[in-house]
C-alpha cells in the first residue's frame, strides 16, 4: 500500500537514477504521457523518498495494458504523486481510487483532480494496507508501488489479491524481483535501472 508516511511514500532506490530521478532533483513536476490529459503536468513536492514512476516505465506499462482502459476500475494503492492513477484515468478508466496517507500529497492530488476535472477519480486519505484489508470493492487493475525501503510487497500483494476481479491484473514496482503470489504468474515484466516492474495475473489452470 505500519506507521507514518513510510507506509505510503515511494522510497528511492540507493542506486536509482531511474528509481529516484525526481526526488534527486527536489520539487518539480512530471507529465501524463497519454490519453485526454496528455502532457498535463503533475506536481512533485520536495518530500524525502518520493519517487514517481518514471516516464519510460509508464509508457511500457500502458503498452502492455493497451492504450485505452475504457470500462476498467483501477486502484492506485500507494498513490504518491498520482502518476499511475491519473495516467489510468486519462486513458479512459471508468473509476480510479487513489489511496494516500500523507496530507500534503492528498492536497496535491485533489488540486490536480480539480484542475483536470477528473470526475472518475476518488482520492482517500488512508493507510493503504488497512484500506485494502477492509475493502469489499473490486478492481480490474491494481497498482502496487509501496515504499521500497519498508519491504511491504508481500503484505500489499496479500491485501490486493481479494480485491481483484476475475481476469484482472496487478502491477508491482519494486527494487528487486518479487515472486508472484500463489495462483499468479508474472505475465509481463521489465527492469529500468534499479527498478523491477511486472504485471501479475491469475493462472488459467491453478493447481488444485
Amino acid at each position: 500500500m505500519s506507521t507514518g508516511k513510510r507506509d505510503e511514500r515511494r522510497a528511492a532506490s540507493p542506486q536509482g537514477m531511474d528509481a529516484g530521478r525526481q526526488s534527486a532533483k527536489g520539487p518539480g513536476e512530471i507529465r501524463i504521457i497519454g490519453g485526454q490529459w496528455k502532457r498535463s503536468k503533475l506536481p512533485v513536492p520536495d518530500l524525502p523518498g518520493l519517487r514517481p514512476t518514471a516516464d519510460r516505465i509508464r509508457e511500457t506499462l500502458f503498452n502492455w495494458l493497451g492504450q485505452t482502459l475504457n470500462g476498467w476500475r483501477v486502484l492506485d494503492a500507494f498513490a504518491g504523486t498520482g502518476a499511475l492513477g491519473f495516467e489510468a484515468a486519462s486513458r479512459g478508466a471508468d473509476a480510479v481510487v487513489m489511496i494516500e496517507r500523507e496530507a500534503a500529497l492528498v492536497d496535491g492530488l485533489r488540486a490536480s483532480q480539480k484542475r483536470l476535472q477528473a470526475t472518475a477519480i476518488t482520492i482517500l486519505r488512508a493507510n493503504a494496507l488497512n484500506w485494502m484489508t477492509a475493502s469489499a470493492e473490486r478492481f480490474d487493475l491494481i497498482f502496487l508501488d509501496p515504499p521500497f525501503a519498508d519491504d511491504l510487497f508481500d503484505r500489499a500483494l496479500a491485501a490486493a489479491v481479494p480485491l481483484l476481479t476475475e481476469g484482472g491484473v496487478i502491477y508491482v514496482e519494486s527494487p528487486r524481483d518479487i515472486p508472484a503470489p500463489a495462483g499468479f504468474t508474472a505475465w509481463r515484466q521489465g527492469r529500468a535501472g534499479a527498478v523491477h516492474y511486472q504485471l501479475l495475473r491469475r493462472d488459467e489452470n491453478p493447481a488444485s
Side-chain angles (χ1 to χ4, degrees), residues 113-190:
Q113 178 190 31
K114 182 177 181 179
R115 175 171 49 84
L116 296 171
Q117 300 182 4
T119 56
I121 291 176
T122 299
I123 299 165
L124 302 174
R125 186 182 178 194
N127 176 292
L129 291 176
N130 292 346
W131 188 91
M132 287 191 290
T133 299
S135 179
E137 295 195 45
R138 295 293 180 268
F139 299 93
D140 305 295
L141 170 62
I142 299 175
F143 295 127
L144 295 180
D145 185 7
F148 284 5
D150 290 348
D151 200 18
L152 300 174
F153 301 99
D154 290 341
R155 282 184 285 165
L157 277 167
V161 165
L163 306 185
L164 197 65
T165 59
E166 184 175 355
V169 291
I170 300 175
Y171 170 76
V172 182
E173 192 170 315
S174 59
R176 57 181 174 81
D177 185 33
I178 301 297
F184 281 75
T185 297
W187 173 44
R188 298 280 190 273
Q189 54 190 317

Side-chain angles (χ1 to χ4, degrees), residues 37 85-86 89-90 94-98 109 113 116 118-123:
W37 303 318
F86 279 107
S90 181
D94 276 10
V96 177
V97 177
M98 295 185 180
L109 292 171
Q113 178 190 31
L116 296 171
T119 56
I121 291 176
T122 299
I123 299 165

Side-chain angles (χ1 to χ4, degrees), residues 16 19 28 37 41 47 50 62 69 71 91 93 100 106 114-115 120 131 139 144-145 163 201 205 208:
W37 303 318
K41 299 174 183 177
L47 293 173
L50 185 64
F62 285 93
L69 302 182
R91 295 168 185 266
E100 174 55 53
V106 170
K114 182 177 181 179
R115 175 171 49 84
W131 188 91
F139 299 93
L144 295 180
D145 185 7
L163 306 185
R201 68 178 180 184
N205 298 299
S208 57

